[in-house]
């Protein structure tokens, strides 16, 4: 993923998180087709204010007439006030989505293959002049819930669901689990698609929110506990609690607060962490 937030460290250790969920549909070409007679809202801006490593993100979204994200402008704001912008464009085709990313120093594509239900089953990375690299493949159950992600590592992520909520995922190889994350659902649900802390590198956040990775949890998350170990030298442990501000059925603010410990060789970062996310929604007329 492109996110350079506090999860930058945890992403290196396969324990990054991000917030978004999705509305689902059986129509792969337009999983978020507007419903006649119902007010439609779109997430037009996402802001994160960080006090753990001093990095913030401001992201603006542009949609097509079918309500699909076609442009994502992501500005990374460093603690010293410097910033840069990544431009991400989306093209939707039959059984395929192409994501084109331009950063100040790089350009590449992700090509997502869709099954007949319009769900992503494969992610390939394509760089100029290079052969496509398989980034991972996805498996769903009969109800459209994601149950397995096979990465190119090779490692397998197994997702466990209960009563419509994702309660756990484990990342491991053939011999042992290297990463386990447990989720405690809250009692809150929202009409419009929103929130589930998930692992960076497994999902594209924008496509997840649009329903291309299958069904999403019914409830907002109240607590996350995660332990990850990518080698004997690299470990992360985190515990986060989540609180939300809602307006008209939409999340407008999420506060993520807890403790984060990162160990990388002799380096140890251990202490409290608080992260604030703001979401701006606008009513759209289709």
């Amino acid at each position: 993923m492109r996110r350079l937030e506090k999860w930058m460290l945890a992403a290196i250790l396969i324990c990054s998180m991000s917030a978004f969920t999705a509305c689902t549909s059986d129509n792969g070409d337009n999983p978020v087709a507007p419903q006649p007679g119902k007010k439609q809202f779109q997430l037009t801006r996402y802001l994160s204010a960080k006090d753990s490593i001093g990095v913030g993100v401001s992201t603006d979204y542009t949609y097509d007439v079918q309500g699909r994200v076609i442009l994502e402008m992501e500005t990374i704001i460093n603690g010293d006030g410097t910033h840069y912008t990544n431009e991400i464009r989306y093209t939707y085709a039959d059984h395929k989505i192409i994501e084109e990313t331009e950063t100040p120093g790089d350009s590449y594509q992700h090509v997502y293959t869709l099954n007949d239900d319009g769900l992503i089953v494969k992610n390939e990375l394509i760089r100029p002049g290079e052969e496509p690299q398989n980034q991972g493949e996805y498996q769903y159950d009969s109800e459209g819930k994601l149950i397995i992600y096979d990465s190119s590592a090779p490692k397998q992520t197994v997702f466990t669901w209960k009563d419509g909520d994702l309660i756990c995922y484990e990342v491991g190889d053939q011999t042992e689990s290297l990463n386990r994350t447990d989720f405690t659902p809250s009692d809150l649900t929202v009409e419009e698609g929103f929130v589930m802390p998930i692992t960076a590198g497994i999902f594209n956040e924008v496509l997840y929110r649009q329903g291309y990775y299958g069904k999403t949890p019914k409830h907002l998350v109240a607590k996350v506990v995660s332990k990850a170990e990518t080698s004997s030298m690299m470990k992360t442990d985190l515990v986060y609690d989540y609180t939300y501000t809602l307006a008209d059925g939409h999340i407008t603010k999420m506060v993520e607060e807890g403790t984060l410990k990162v160990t990388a060789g002799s380096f140890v970062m251990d202490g409290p962490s608080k992260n604030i996310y703001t979401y701006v929604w606008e009513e759209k007329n289709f």
Side-chain angles (χ1 to χ4, degrees):
M1 299 291 284
R2 299 173 303 275
R3 310 299 180 205
L4 295 178
E5 309 171 33
K6 84 165 181 313
W7 298 110
M8 178 174 60
L9 291 172
I12 297 172
L13 309 180
I14 318 181
C15 190
S16 310
M17 294 200 176
S18 174
F20 283 112
T21 61
C23 305
T24 59
S25 166
D26 291 333
N27 187 337
D29 291 329
N30 185 18
V32 288
Q35 301 178 28
K38 179 183 177 182
K39 285 185 178 181
Q40 300 296 314
F41 291 86
Q42 292 175 338
L43 181 66
T44 57
R45 174 167 287 188
Y46 157 66
L47 305 165
S48 68
K50 304 293 185 179
D51 68 1
S52 52
I53 63 171
V55 176
V57 180
S58 173
T59 306
D60 292 275
Y61 303 98
T62 301
Y63 296 78
D64 66 11
V65 294
Q66 294 178 284
R68 302 175 298 193
V69 174
I70 56 174
L71 177 62
E72 180 184 1
M73 298 296 291
E74 177 187 72
T75 300
I76 311 298
I77 307 163
N78 297 313
D80 60 3
T82 59
H83 66 276
Y84 62 92
T85 298
N86 300 324
E87 179 178 312
I88 305 100
R89 295 186 177 273
Y90 296 88
T91 302
Y92 301 84
D94 186 32
H95 287 82
K96 183 182 296 185
I97 300 173
I98 300 172
E99 171 200 354
E100 300 176 277
T101 298
E102 294 281 346
T103 74
D106 197 7
S107 64
Y108 53 88
Q109 291 184 349
H110 281 274
V111 177
Y112 303 94
T113 301
L114 310 182
N115 64 14
D116 291 337
D117 294 320
L119 303 180
I120 291 172
V121 293
K122 188 176 183 179
N123 171 17
E124 291 181 297
L125 171 65
I126 302 177
R127 293 186 177 277
E130 298 182 8
E131 292 295 319
Q133 302 175 31
N134 183 7
Q135 299 295 288
E137 300 183 7
Y138 306 83
Q139 299 177 35
Y140 304 85
D141 67 11
S142 60
E143 297 178 345
K145 298 192 298 291
L146 180 64
I147 53 173
I148 292 176
Y149 167 70
D150 282 311
S151 73
S152 57
K155 290 185 175 65
Q156 188 176 80
T157 304
V158 178
F159 299 84
T160 302
W161 297 74
K162 182 179 180 181
D163 299 328
D165 286 306
L166 178 62
I167 60 169
C168 173
Y169 69 74
E170 292 185 272
V171 183
D173 55 22
Q174 288 80 7
T175 59
E176 62 178 340
S177 172
L178 303 176
N179 177 341
R180 178 183 173 96
T181 300
D182 292 281
F183 303 96
T184 301
S186 72
D187 295 328
L188 297 173
T189 59
V190 234
E191 181 179 2
E192 297 295 332
F194 185 69
V195 80
M196 182 68 209
I198 53 177
T199 302
I202 290 181
F203 300 102
N204 172 293
E205 297 167 3
V206 167
L207 299 179
Y208 183 76
R209 176 164 53 87
Q210 294 183 106
Y212 287 104
Y213 293 97
K215 290 188 175 180
T216 52
K218 292 164 54 177
H219 297 92
L220 301 179
V221 173
K223 189 183 189 73
V224 172
V225 178
S226 183
K227 293 181 179 294
E229 180 176 346
T230 58
S231 74
S232 60
M233 299 288 289
M234 305 178 72
K235 301 177 182 179
T236 59
D237 291 275
L238 66 86
V239 178
Y240 279 130
D241 294 302
Y242 293 83
T243 56
Y244 306 91
T245 301
L246 289 80
D248 298 324
H250 302 288
I251 296 293
T252 57
K253 182 179 179 181
M254 181 180 76
V255 177
E256 175 186 71
E257 190 167 10
T259 58
L260 172 65
K261 181 178 181 180
V262 178
T263 304
S266 60
F267 169 79
V268 178
M269 183 181 74
D270 187 6
S273 177
K274 182 177 181 180
N275 306 286
I276 300 171
Y277 305 84
T278 302
Y279 305 89
V280 179
W281 300 80
E282 292 184 8
E283 183 177 351
K284 296 293 180 179
N285 295 316
F286 295 97

